Amino acid sequence: MILELKQTGRGFCTAGFAIKRLTEETGTVSLSGKPWSMEAYISGIYRGMEFEMLPDRHSAAGKKRFRPYRIRQDGRETGSVYQTIHKDSMCKSSGYHRMEKDGMIYSMYPVGFGIEGSRCPVYCGDRQTAQAEKDGTVHNDMHYYRILATDENAAFTTVLFCMYMYVNACYKPGKRAALSEVKTVSVTTDRFLKEKYNPDFRERITD
């Protein structure tokens, strides 16, 4: 299945997104924060299920968990998402995103393809379940993610990953949106991350 996570609005410290599959709107997401903080409260609804993502300031230290957010679904605590690292050697490490939810562990690996944008494969264990794609050009500070997923759970998990990426990399509290065209050129050379990208995965996904 293929989803679109498209930004529909942006305020001084707020943002809104619509989630669509084909012509059907399957959910919405809103984000709100404060001008002096890069953290934000994220809430939304996906196919009738309410969810929240909240900064977790009390997460256990020393576990390679950076900028953690708690996840709630229909008022129930279901897990967390955070940045972590993979140690390749004593001198080399690779950063990626990890999610622990409902007893399962998911990993998202950011891979940059220059002006084409990024392709971020999502794995559950050693099996790829989804991929988030983002163009290299952003118009008027409105961001867009394309989600390719093997099933509904993989799609929702990737929506959470994309919102986590947005709040960490694209959220600009205290600044108003302006007419603009910004091109980001990022090329991943990290072997560990590049090996996670499967160019054939997209061919397996249909609308």
Side-chain angles (χ1 to χ4, degrees):
M1 60 189 302
I2 301 175
L3 294 183
E4 293 180 307
L5 177 61
K6 185 176 182 180
Q7 190 166 359
T8 55
R10 179 163 120 51
F12 196 56
C13 295
T14 61
F17 290 80
I19 308 169
K20 291 186 176 181
R21 183 183 182 192
L22 299 175
T23 59
E24 176 193 7
E25 185 170 291
T26 59
T28 58
V29 188
S30 62
L31 179 150
S32 62
K34 298 176 180 178
W36 58 83
S37 174
M38 287 301 297
E39 295 180 339
Y41 169 70
I42 301 167
S43 64
I45 186 166
Y46 181 74
R47 293 200 179 279
M49 177 189 64
E50 296 180 353
F51 66 90
E52 300 170 281
M53 298 173 67
L54 308 92
D56 186 359
R57 301 181 182 90
H58 305 291
S59 179
K63 291 188 175 182
K64 297 180 183 177
R65 301 185 182 200
F66 310 107
R67 304 196 72 177
Y69 272 67
R70 292 154 48 208
I71 300 169
R72 291 179 182 168
Q73 295 172 228
D74 287 334
R76 179 175 62 91
E77 201 91 7
T78 57
S80 63
V81 58
Y82 51 90
Q83 297 176 10
T84 190
I85 57 173
H86 169 79
K87 285 288 262 187
D88 297 316
S89 65
M90 288 293 291
C91 303
K92 184 174 174 55
S93 60
S94 308
Y96 65 100
H97 307 307
R98 190 171 186 179
M99 184 183 302
E100 300 174 14
K101 187 170 79 69
D102 293 321
M104 304 295 288
I105 296 177
Y106 305 90
S107 300
M108 171 183 267
Y109 304 95
V111 184
F113 285 86
I115 60 173
E116 295 180 21
S118 62
R119 308 288 183 265
C120 303
V122 176
Y123 282 76
C124 181
D126 60 359
R127 182 174 68 92
Q128 186 173 357
T129 59
Q131 180 169 288
E133 301 181 348
K134 192 174 190 298
D135 293 338
T137 302
V138 176
H139 296 277
N140 305 328
D141 207 20
M142 303 291 276
H143 296 263
Y144 171 83
Y145 303 85
R146 186 182 303 106
I147 294 171
L148 315 174
T150 55
D151 55 41
E152 200 72 70
N153 179 66
F156 174 63
T157 298
T158 308
V159 167
L160 298 179
F161 267 129
C162 287
M163 291 308 304
Y164 181 73
M165 283 197 300
Y166 175 83
V167 75
N168 282 327
C170 306
Y171 177 50
K172 299 176 181 178
K175 295 183 180 180
R176 298 194 183 280
L179 294 177
S180 62
E181 181 180 278
V182 177
K183 295 183 179 181
T184 301
V185 180
S186 175
V187 179
T188 296
T189 58
D190 187 300
R191 183 176 177 180
F192 172 77
L193 297 176
K194 288 177 66 176
E195 287 179 346
K196 298 299 182 180
Y197 175 70
N198 176 10
D200 299 325
F201 178 78
R202 203 180 203 290
E203 303 303 318
R204 295 162 34 199
I205 305 301
T206 60
D207 293 343

